[in-house]
Amino acid sequence: MKEKRSQFGTKLGVIMVTAGSAVGLGNIWRFPYEVGANGGGAFVLLYLIFVFFVGLPVICGEFILGKRSRSGIRGAFEKLHKSRFWGSVGYISILAAVLIMGFYSVVASWTMEYIVQSVEGFSGLSSPEDFHNRFELLTATPVRPVVWTALFLILNYLILIRGVEKGIEKVSNLMMPLLFILLIAFGINSLLLPGAGEGLRFLFHPDFSKLTGEVVLRALGQAFFSLSLGMGCLVTYSSYFKPETPLMRTGISIAVLDTFVAVMAGVMIFPAVFTYGQEPAAGPRLVFEVLPMVFSNMPSGSIWSLVFFVLLFLAALTSIISVSEIIIAYLMDDFGMSRFKACTVHFVISLVFGVVCALSFSSLSDFKIFGFNVFDLFDYVSSNILMPLGGMLLSIFVGWVIKRSIVKEELLAGTSHSGVYRVLATVMAFCLRYVAPVAIAIVMLNCLKGI
Ligand code: PFF
């Protein structure tokens, strides 16, 4: 017999859990390195436009699909509209989820390394080269990254088998507020650094000469990655929503919270990058070399460092749980597996992908596809191709295939149906129908043209 579908407890719990999925390494690790590698302010501006005009409507679209179908991403389309094509769109999301599991757990394993490093202290390290060499030392050997990645995945597994409400909601409720407070404190600390002006200019002053088709695609990809969009994560979560959960309010809260955390991470990191003479375009290692340097220059730095990396680790955990949930819901819904069995199968698959990614900086560093190592390839393909593609198809489905009255009804569920909400629902439905699919198609085609 099928297990009864879980439900989230409270309204606040719903926001915390979905924000727990959105807020993660994407905001604090990926956002700064993409901003740094893609020219700064102009990228940030584009990113913000994508979050609110494409991301927010797609969030609502995912919510509508999940809440209405009460199904994970693979079955959701099919439940609302029987067709072979729509029945197979969900596989794009599942593929994206598997790829993300691989590289995300490796970055999470770096946060575990840095928790230990913080306890040991960063004594003896002072120049950017010292911090660079320390990071190299951690990633360029095969054993430690593999062990940390495996440990991270085991922990994820143990939380997942406890189920949606007991495991995920509790961790998120505690972690999110703490993370916000800490980010504000570190942001203020960075604003007092001598390079603050230069850092803020880099982050907020748009230099449009830096914009290329590739940069626009990366800004779109970052918006999707950061908001956990286009791969059915929010579809899966909203299948656990109660009927009265307000979709638009939840969506707006997530978009605002997530953007706030990303921008705060930028405020925290770029003043330090310029103060300590680091390279903004350093790529995935940026944050792991800059932040320890900031901490080592603060009084009681190792305690701050410890608290920060513990919170970053928890943020990664609440996000990876949501990626896992996509795969687990698929295994349970489509194969009738028990939760325990689905979690176990998922664990084995993600361990294989995680280990391959962990080794892509050491034993597999010479193995390149299209010039990317496996880690970068999984990151690029999932965020910049699969997630926008999934988001485009989803917005076409909700905007054009599902009845308009259902879309409106769901958008207004749990609200007072007042004038403001009605206008908002109309704007959201318009963006879902026209703005999101067209914008995503243009960005992706434009980039293909440049290849
Ligand atoms: N949004 C998460 C982050 O910013 O770290 C990553 C993520 C979670 C992506 C869940 C996709 C997803 F389905």
Side-chain angles (χ1 to χ4, degrees), residues 393-424:
L393 291 169
L394 183 131
S395 48
I396 292 174
F397 185 80
V398 179
W400 296 90
V401 179
I402 298 184
K403 270 204 200 118
R404 277 203 237 186
S405 54
I406 295 184
V407 172
K408 274 272 167 66
E409 184 191 318
E410 284 297 350
L411 284 173
L412 289 170
T415 71
S416 59
H417 286 234
S418 68
V420 183
Y421 279 114
R422 284 184 176 281
V423 173
L424 214 58

Side-chain angles (χ1 to χ4, degrees), residues 18 28 43 51 76 130 148 168 208 211 257 273 283 289 335 349 376 380 384 409 414 440:
T18 36
I28 295 165
F43 178 93
V51 164
D130 292 339
W148 282 124
I168 308 175
F208 293 108
L211 285 189
L257 286 178
V273 167
E289 292 178 16
F335 296 93
I349 298 172
D376 291 332
Y380 189 90
N384 300 333
E409 184 191 318
I440 299 170

Side-chain angles (χ1 to χ4, degrees), residues 96-119:
V98 173
L99 298 185
I100 290 181
M101 283 305 301
F103 75 86
Y104 205 89
S105 41
V106 173
V107 184
S109 81
W110 297 342
T111 66
M112 295 166 88
E113 248 310 345
Y114 274 82
I115 291 174
V116 176
Q117 297 277 322
S118 309
V119 175

